[in-house]
């Protein structure tokens, strides 16, 4: 199997590991054990806190965002 490296990754993230960092993996596994219904937003919060704790700067461009959901109760 050949390794696929996107031009974006090569240009913007040349030093990022190919596997999830061990301490981040432990945090995500702990989240999965603590809650029976973790969702993407819970996982993103763990990842965001990890990025900030390691001094990873936010990109200087807007990342793709999920469109607003309409018609859901409570929103």
């Amino acid at each position: 199997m050949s390794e696929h490296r996107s031009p974006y990754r090569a240009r913007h993230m040349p030093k990022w590991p190919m596997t999830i960092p061990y301490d981040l993996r432990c945090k995500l596994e702990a989240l999965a054990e603590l809650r029976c219904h973790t969702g993407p937003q819970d996982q993103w919060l763990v990842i965001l806190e990890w990025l900030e704790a390691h001094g990873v700067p936010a990109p200087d461009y807007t990342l793709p965002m999920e469109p607003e959901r309409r018609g859901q109760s409570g929103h």
Side-chain angles (χ1 to χ4, degrees):
M1 177 184 232
S2 65
E3 178 183 341
H4 172 72
R5 275 185 84 118
S6 72
Y8 174 85
R9 186 178 193 293
R11 196 176 36 228
H12 297 284
M13 302 181 293
K15 295 181 181 178
W16 285 46
M18 294 301 295
T19 60
I20 189 169
Y22 178 72
D23 59 334
L24 178 56
R25 176 186 295 275
C26 291
K27 290 179 183 291
L28 290 170
E29 287 174 349
L31 175 67
E33 290 176 7
L34 289 175
R35 299 182 181 194
C36 57
H37 300 291
T38 60
Q41 192 63 41
D42 298 310
Q43 296 166 354
W44 171 242
L45 182 58
V46 169
I47 293 167
L48 179 60
E49 289 174 350
W50 184 90
L51 291 168
E52 290 174 345
H54 286 79
V56 178
D60 58 356
Y61 54 88
T62 302
L63 295 172
M65 296 181 70
E66 180 178 16
E68 286 189 42
R69 297 179 183 181
R70 299 184 188 273
Q72 293 184 351
S73 62
H75 292 276

